[in-house]
Amino acid sequence: MARAANRSPRIGVALAGGGPLGVVYEIGALVALEEAIPQLRFTECVGYVGVSAGGFVAAGLANGIGPREQCRSFIENIGPRSDVLDPAVMTRPAWDEFARRLRQLPGALAGMALDALFGIGSRGRVINQLGHLLPIGMFSNRTVHEHLSRVFSSRGRTNDFRKLRRRLVIVAVDLDSGEAMPFGKPGHDKVPISLAVQASAALPGLFPPVEIDGRFYVDGALRKTMHASVLLDEGLDLLVCLNPLVPWDGRPQAHPDAPDARPRDTPPPRLVDRGLPAVMSQTFRSLIHSRMELGMRGYSHAYPGTDIVLVEPRASDATIFFHNPFSYSQRRWMAQHAYAETRRWLRSRRLAVGQTLARHGLALDDAVLDDPRRTLLDVRVPPRGRAQQALRQLEQTLDRLESAQDATPSR
């Protein structure tokens, strides 16, 4: 639908989850989109909705931290010390949770012993009691809140939803009701932005639920993949959606025009041969993607006045599917891949995307899009200080070691 000629287009951004890989993919893709559409500035949109890992990026954009700046802080670890995120903080064990479960062990063992002594126990009851002792999260996510609190305390930024100049919604799910909680909407905007992001990214099993005002919240993707309706309800001309997770499709006939790095005589990998992680990844991606497809079809009917552009990886992109989502040492390489793939996606849909953008006074820059010299990582910006230079050299060494290890055939 064409916008009125006398006003600027109302543009929103919806970012889905995907773990650390999702953050890396979305940053690389957003840089590519912003470069290719010169009139578009992602820090100047009217609203943002972030789910799970997408909450990190959305909160940054709402605070005026553009894609390039987020790339330097999160991907390259360059910039003000308060902005740089050490990826290792996301893989620290949840010692508090482990200790809490250990404190329950003596009482549970005593109860099981009494049940066995008096013959009132059963195998199912024992398994149930043991289940109560399992940690509800393997890694601590408290550093998410702590780090983002520092980032958003800088001058010109805020950790308060109510002080933002633009709408920001971070969606989590109430663990005890299963209902979505749109933090940032009126009535739900008193919680700090950093705490809302922590809650939205608390994937059960990996991170403990986050307590806010006596309620416990987990990953917002458990309810919906995108939650775009919270922005669409406010009336948009254009909504840009990014979804990092798509199911794998290794059939060559399904994507005959897609580039493939495999030798011609090499068959596509079979997921069943890759073990449980690959099977579970495919299952999870299929579930959330099918749910998102239903949602997208519903949006097109419920909001006919809004154009929606959905950007996501190719289903045949083995690089993204088989990449370890928690491998931070290769984040630069993966971000560059996302950047290049988004540029390829734009070129392959140049006409359709160009027509959609034109309805809102936007246009693709063909010279930028077709420039083969374009790259994501800004090698012209040197690390600041000896400590950062040493850290950069160490990370590059770890990158090479991990790449060599991945290339070594398993025995």
Side-chain angles (χ1 to χ4, degrees), residues 246-282:
V246 298
W248 160 254
D249 188 347
R251 300 171 298 171
Q253 67 274 18
H255 310 277
D257 300 325
D260 194 340
R262 299 190 307 267
R264 293 185 179 274
D265 58 348
T266 302
R270 299 193 312 171
L271 297 185
V272 71
D273 297 330
R274 296 295 184 107
L276 182 61
V279 172
M280 293 301 297
S281 177
Q282 179 76 334

Side-chain angles (χ1 to χ4, degrees), residues 208-391:
V210 177
E211 184 176 4
I212 300 176
D213 295 333
R215 307 290 296 181
F216 288 89
Y217 296 92
V218 294
D219 197 310
L222 297 185
R223 184 73 179 184
K224 289 183 181 179
T225 304
M226 195 75 68
H227 289 276
S229 59
V230 298
L231 287 183
L232 292 168
D233 285 338
E234 299 189 10
L236 296 177
D237 298 308
L238 176 65
L239 178 66
V240 179
C241 302
L242 269 68
N243 173 48
L245 298 182
V246 298
W248 160 254
D249 188 347
R251 300 171 298 171
Q253 67 274 18
H255 310 277
D257 300 325
D260 194 340
R262 299 190 307 267
R264 293 185 179 274
D265 58 348
T266 302
R270 299 193 312 171
L271 297 185
V272 71
D273 297 330
R274 296 295 184 107
L276 182 61
V279 172
M280 293 301 297
S281 177
Q282 179 76 334
T283 302
F284 177 72
R285 289 167 181 253
S286 298
L287 288 172
I288 64 172
H289 197 262
S290 62
R291 188 174 57 183
M292 189 199 68
E293 288 178 324
L294 288 173
M296 286 293 169
R297 287 196 289 269
Y299 296 150
S300 64
H301 292 292
Y303 306 96
T306 302
D307 281 318
I308 299 177
V309 175
L310 172 63
V311 182
E312 55 186 9
R314 290 177 290 114
S316 60
D317 191 335
T319 300
I320 290 183
F321 183 87
F322 293 105
H323 178 76
N324 178 2
F326 289 92
S327 177
Y328 286 100
S329 65
Q330 293 188 8
R331 63 192 180 278
R332 295 188 187 90
W333 178 79
M334 179 54 64
Q336 176 62 44
H337 178 77
Y339 171 85
E341 279 294 291
T342 303
R343 286 170 54 82
R344 183 205 64 79
W345 182 88
L346 286 170
R347 290 193 296 269
S348 68
R349 293 164 174 79
R350 193 190 307 256
L351 180 59
V353 173
Q355 291 175 343
T356 300
L357 295 176
R359 289 195 286 270
H360 309 289
L362 307 175
L364 290 171
D365 187 327
D366 290 330
V368 169
L369 200 54
D370 295 328
D371 185 354
R373 298 168 298 177
R374 289 274 172 171
T375 183
L376 172 70
L377 304 183
D378 189 354
V379 297
R380 296 168 300 175
V381 181
R384 299 179 182 178
R386 293 183 179 180
Q388 281 191 311
Q389 290 178 0
L391 177 61

Side-chain angles (χ1 to χ4, degrees), residues 163-187:
K163 294 182 180 179
L164 289 171
R165 292 189 299 144
R166 295 172 172 84
R167 172 76 72 195
L168 171 65
V169 179
I170 304 295
V171 183
V173 170
D174 188 316
L175 182 62
D176 293 310
S177 70
E179 295 297 319
M181 173 58 67
F183 290 115
K185 294 200 73 173

Side-chain angles (χ1 to χ4, degrees), residues 82-206:
S82 61
D83 283 7
V84 172
L85 173 63
D86 179 4
V89 302
M90 295 296 294
T91 55
R92 291 175 180 171
W95 296 120
D96 292 347
E97 172 63 16
F98 297 158
R100 187 167 74 90
R101 297 297 167 175
L102 283 175
R103 287 195 294 269
Q104 297 175 0
L105 181 60
L109 291 178
M112 286 187 284
L114 289 173
D115 287 348
L117 179 63
F118 292 101
I120 59 175
S122 66
R123 183 177 301 177
R125 181 169 177 173
V126 170
I127 293 175
N128 184 58
Q129 290 173 324
L130 289 175
H132 293 166
L133 299 176
L134 294 177
I136 55 177
M138 300 301 295
F139 302 110
S140 174
N141 53 3
R142 185 168 52 195
T143 50
V144 173
H145 174 40
E146 295 170 351
H147 172 75
L148 292 181
S149 294
R150 293 193 298 271
V151 171
F152 298 151
S153 65
S154 300
R155 185 176 181 180
R157 304 173 186 172
T158 180
N159 201 27
D160 190 331
F161 283 105
R162 297 163 296 183
K163 294 182 180 179
L164 289 171
R165 292 189 299 144
R166 295 172 172 84
R167 172 76 72 195
L168 171 65
V169 179
I170 304 295
V171 183
V173 170
D174 188 316
L175 182 62
D176 293 310
S177 70
E179 295 297 319
M181 173 58 67
F183 290 115
K185 294 200 73 173
H188 308 294
D189 52 4
K190 295 181 180 180
V191 58
I193 296 172
S194 55
L195 191 58
V197 172
Q198 178 189 352
S200 182
L203 182 63
L206 288 181

